[in-house]
Amino acid sequence: VHQLAQSRGPTRIELDVQGMHCSGCVWLFGALSDRFPGALDVVPNAGLGRLVLHVEPTFDLPSFVDELERFGYRIGPPLKTSPPGRDGLLIRTGVAAGLSANAMMFALAIYLGLRAGPVFEMMRTLEVLLGAGAVAVGAPVFVRGAWFGLRRGVLHLDVPIVLGMMLALAGSLWGYASGADASYADTVAVFVTLMLLGRWLQARAVARNRDRLLRSEGAAGLRGRRIEGATVRSVRAPDVAAGDLLLVAPGELVLVDATLLEGATVSLDWISGESFPKALSVGDTAVAGALNRGSSAFRCRAAVGFDRSPLEALLGQPGPGVDAPGTGAFWDRLSRVYVLSVLATASACFLGWRFTTADVARALEVATAVLVVTCPCGIGIATPLAHDLVAAALRRRGLFVRSEHALDRAADVTRVAFDKTGTLTTGQLELACPGALEALTAEEREVLGSMVAGSAHPKSDAVRRALGDVAPYRADVVTSEDAGRGVEANAGGVRYRLGARGFAVEESAAATLGDLVLSRNGQVLLELTTREVPRADAAAEMAALAGAGYELAILSGDTAPRVAQVAEALGLTGSPSVASCSPDDKARWIAEHAERPTLFVGDGIN
């Protein structure tokens, strides 16, 4: 409520929901949210027991929560640990299973031909009592949702389940009172047990998913270092406020947009997907998500609090409209019409048999059979189970589906957009012409090997691999690295530099063609061109997708020449290729080209 009161526009609110168990609950939450002004989007996730709301500041959150709790759900803030135990449902399932097993045992005598006598009367009586006991144990689980739904004009999917149980029990009691065989009571007990078992199995799967995925606190679990006078304190990311003095150690993230108080070398691979280091000066802004790639810590002043940090948005879920249900609306339509269709069919069967045979017991039995056979609990279990199985299979193949409705929408996809680095390429660089190194003398190769041996820059790695498995090295060569620009070495009074032209070559020297230059005393010794290494199967996959009729695109945070180079290598020169994209730029491009449903494939959270 406090978060909503402080917001100035659409707000994302997460709630944990205890008692969400099937697609009926998912549909119910959406139907209830439609009755509250200010609800933009409601995304229930039965697999996590999580409800994500995108709402306007005018949304009446307390009333919405109260309404849900009247249906028997329990609502609270997002939990970071396992929810309370689910022993209650398991106990009900066990008791119902025991009752149904005994009911079946007593019914067996009747099935085998026992039709009269005191033993027959005892058997049929015990069978009916055990069937009624199973309903008494299991029915409350389903009656709660059905009753609260009917009171508020919502046909919950538990309604036909409850009607099936009650009509089956009524049929058994009718047969018992009229003196007919009461063997239908064991079927009632088994039906109740199976419904409880299905609900418990799904609750168990939900709990396992929930326990696994909620172990991490996400962005809220990140920590930073805040300078407080003469001390440095480790603080949680949400505790960082605007104006805080922060210390970012090597390998740590900048949690919020911050102004540098000293020079630093950072990598923006979380932001753009590109790992090349970038040198920043005093007064520059280190954006949230930048990684300290230098060898020492640097100080910076937080420009905003963590609640306004782009890093939190980067680690969060898509906002309203980004993950619209699309074809997933089929399940919404199915839920809306299913209950009415089942009730109408059962009623028609009852009336048809009632007026054609004048046998009320037979008509009741037929109507009950319709409700039992069409029980929607199967849909409630099968739909999320199918999604979980597909998601698990994709995870085993190295694919993580981020969007809630991605699988439902996949059939409509006509365009596939790819991130570049790490997705279409391996993330490594190679020399376009490694044979150029043959022009160097043995001494120059030894100096070059010594220069790249101690550098972790991707271009240094490319040179090191080109030199061979056993790269030359001289211990007497003194090297130093200007992070983000290049490496310098001194060998017997001769200065060698490897890096960008402006670093390696004297200003008066002629312009070079390569992106990597080796110089000696300011004069060009060797020009090298690096290129990214495409994945081995990338070209074949692009050809297969194009042959299947998909439009292909590249959305990358790298520079335009790099993007064009990869597009040419993969045969995508005629496809859209957009460079220098931030995560927001990529989302914006997809939204602006929404005439074609797009699947975006990337190798990281950015």
Side-chain angles (χ1 to χ4, degrees), residues 23 156-165 167 184 191 195 334-335 337-347 349 365-380:
S23 59
H156 196 279
L157 286 177
D158 281 345
V159 171
I161 296 178
V162 172
L163 286 177
M165 289 182 183
L167 286 178
Y184 201 62
F191 172 66
M195 293 301 98
L334 177 63
S335 297
V337 303
Y338 187 85
V339 175
L340 288 175
S341 300
V342 168
L343 295 179
T345 302
S347 299
C349 291
E365 182 180 347
V366 170
T368 302
V370 171
L371 291 169
V372 171
V373 171
T374 59
C375 174
C377 199
I379 297 176

Side-chain angles (χ1 to χ4, degrees), residues 482-494:
D482 188 343
R485 300 186 65 206
V487 182
E488 180 177 325
N490 188 294
V494 179

Side-chain angles (χ1 to χ4, degrees), residues 7 37 73 91 101 113 151 161 165 183 228 291 294 318 352 375 408-409 447 452 459 470 510 516 519 558 573 579 584:
S7 65
Y73 301 104
I91 291 173
R151 286 181 57 187
I161 296 178
M165 289 182 183
S183 58
E228 300 177 354
L291 181 71
C375 174
D408 293 323
R409 299 164 57 199
V447 173
V452 299
K459 293 185 179 181
V470 183
L516 190 61
S519 68
D558 206 349
T573 51
D584 288 339

Side-chain angles (χ1 to χ4, degrees), residues 443-444 447 451 487-498 501 503-509 517-526:
E443 180 181 2
E444 290 167 346
V447 173
M451 295 172 72
V487 182
E488 180 177 325
N490 188 294
V494 179
R495 187 189 70 185
Y496 291 86
R497 282 188 173 183
L498 176 69
R501 187 192 69 84
F503 171 77
V505 183
E506 300 291 347
E507 291 298 327
S508 59
V517 177
L518 175 65
S519 68
R520 180 174 57 196
N521 290 331
Q523 300 300 313
V524 176
L525 185 62
L526 186 65

Side-chain angles (χ1 to χ4, degrees), residues 520-565:
R520 180 174 57 196
N521 290 331
Q523 300 300 313
V524 176
L525 185 62
L526 186 65
E527 299 179 29
L528 300 170
T529 300
T530 60
R531 64 187 180 190
E532 289 191 82
V533 182
R535 290 189 178 273
D537 57 349
E541 292 293 342
M542 296 303 103
L545 288 171
Y550 292 99
E551 177 186 300
L552 305 178
I554 299 178
L555 307 178
S556 174
D558 206 349
T559 60
R562 292 280 189 193
V563 175
Q565 185 182 71

Side-chain angles (χ1 to χ4, degrees), residues 178-193:
S178 62
D181 292 346
S183 58
Y184 201 62
D186 67 311
T187 305
V188 178
V190 172
F191 172 66
V192 172
T193 302

